[in-house]
Amino acid sequence: MSTTPETPSSGPATAADRPALRADCGSCFGLCCVALPFAASTDFAIGKDAGEPCRNLRTDFRCGIHSRLRAEGFPGCTVYDCFGAGQKVSQLTFEGRDWRRHPGAAAEMFAVFPVMRHLHELLWYLTEALTLPAARPVHGALREALRETEHLTLRGAAELRELDVAAHRDRVNQLLLRTSELVRAGIPGKKKNRRGADLIGADLRGADLRGANLRGARLIAANLARADLTAADLIGADLRDTDLSAADLRGAVFLTQAQLNAAKGDAATRLPTGLTRPAHW
C-alpha cells in the first residue's frame, strides 16, 4: 500500500536494507486491506470494519487503484507500513494459506496481523538503534532485545494472539529511550523537550530543533520548512501534512519512511541515510 520511492540514499546498512522489514505486498494476502478498520475521512474516501475487505482489493490480493490512491481519496493507504509483517503472517505463520481459500483461518489471521506488525516495528527501531555509534553502551542489550523480538515473531498463531505485546513494547521502549538520550546528548546546549506536544499547525519555520525530543508530538500540518532536526527523536511523531521543505533531517532518530510519506517536502529536504524522498514531494 506504499508509494514507490526514489533511489535510496547511500550509506551504511540500516533497517531499510533488511528485506524482512520492508513490505512485500506480492507475498501478502492483502492483510492491511482486510484486517484493519478505517473510518471515512481525509485519509480514506470510505470507511470499513475490521475483517471486511476493502472494496478496492482484487481477488489476487492486489489493490485495484494502487497507482491512483491519492487521487481517489486514499492517502492514508499510501503512508501505511507494516514493516514486513504482512508477508511474515501470510507465508510463515499461516504457511501460505490465504483467508479466501481457508475462511476458517481468517479470524485468527486478522487477529495475529496487528500483533506481528507491532513486533516488526520494534525490529525496525532496534535495528536502527544498532547502527547508531552513540548508542554503543547499550548495543549489547539492544542485540538481546532484537533476538528476543525476532524469536517472538516465529511463534505460532495461537501464541501470538495471547502475547502481551504491550508489555514487550514497554520493555523495548526503555532501551529505545536510552538510545535516544545517548544520541541527543551529542548535541551541545539545551535541547527542546516537546514529547507528546500538541503542535498541530504550529509555525516552526527555521526552528532549531537539533537534539529535540519530539516523541509522539502531533505535528499535523505544522510548518517546519528550513527547520534543523538533526538528531531529533521523532519516534511516533505525527507528520501528516507537515511541511518539511528544505528541513534538515539528517541524523534524525527513529524517523520512518511512513512518516516521510505522510509529510510534505521538496528537493531541498535533507534526509537520513536509508530513507527515500517520496514520489509525491
Side-chain angles (χ1 to χ4, degrees):
M1 294 176 70
S2 60
T3 53
T4 302
E6 298 175 357
T7 304
S9 305
S10 60
T14 65
D17 298 308
R18 290 187 59 185
L21 299 181
R22 295 179 69 91
D24 178 6
C25 298
S27 298
C28 177
F29 300 137
L31 295 184
C32 59
C33 305
V34 186
L36 306 179
F38 51 77
S41 63
T42 56
D43 291 321
F44 301 100
I46 59 171
K48 77 169 199 67
D49 295 328
E52 174 189 351
C54 175
R55 70 184 185 189
N56 298 310
L57 185 66
R58 304 186 318 203
T59 57
D60 63 356
F61 304 113
R62 301 298 184 96
C63 176
I65 61 169
H66 180 74
S67 63
R68 310 189 309 278
L69 281 167
R70 287 183 176 272
E72 296 282 345
F74 291 87
C77 295
T78 70
V79 304
Y80 179 77
D81 189 353
C82 75
F83 297 98
Q87 66 258 30
K88 175 73 75 64
V89 171
S90 299
Q91 302 302 328
L92 182 65
T93 312
F94 286 86
E95 301 178 321
R97 293 177 290 120
D98 71 71
W99 50 270
R100 282 200 170 108
R101 290 182 299 164
H102 302 273
E108 188 166 50
M109 186 179 295
F110 300 157
V112 165
F113 173 64
V115 175
M116 188 70 79
R117 197 268 182 189
H118 279 300
L119 293 174
H120 268 240
E121 183 180 18
L122 292 177
L123 289 177
W124 175 281
Y125 290 136
L126 288 165
T127 301
E128 282 296 293
L130 284 166
T131 69
L132 302 172
R136 190 167 290 111
V138 292
H139 275 187
L142 288 167
R143 281 190 289 270
E144 180 57 33
L146 182 65
R147 285 191 293 267
E148 180 185 359
T149 306
E150 287 180 327
H151 178 73
L152 290 175
T153 69
L154 302 178
R155 289 186 175 185
E159 288 182 283
L160 284 165
R161 285 193 69 173
E162 298 301 318
L163 179 66
D164 189 347
V165 71
H168 180 68
R169 192 180 188 99
D170 285 344
R171 291 193 295 273
V172 171
N173 192 48
Q174 295 306 308
L175 285 173
L176 299 179
L177 278 167
R178 181 58 182 149
T179 297
S180 171
E181 291 168 356
L182 290 167
V183 172
R184 293 186 294 108
I187 301 296
K190 185 177 181 180
K191 275 79 71 175
K192 293 181 175 63
N193 184 0
R194 305 309 302 274
R195 182 176 182 178
D198 184 352
L199 298 171
I200 296 174
D203 186 354
L204 297 168
R205 286 175 290 181
D208 181 359
L209 295 170
R210 291 174 296 168
N213 184 350
L214 293 167
R215 284 179 156 244
R218 295 180 294 282
L219 287 157
I220 302 169
N223 191 339
L224 272 71
R226 302 183 308 282
D228 190 344
L229 291 115
T230 303
D233 186 346
L234 291 166
I235 195 169
D238 193 336
L239 300 182
R240 285 177 292 171
D241 291 326
T242 305
D243 188 351
L244 297 174
S245 300
D248 191 347
L249 293 159
R250 293 175 297 180
V253 186
F254 302 132
L255 177 66
T256 68
Q257 189 64 51
Q259 287 172 301
L260 285 180
N261 290 348
K264 300 175 181 178
D266 59 15
T269 305
R270 285 163 285 186
L271 304 178
T273 298
L275 297 184
T276 59
R277 201 173 305 279
H280 66 278
W281 282 15

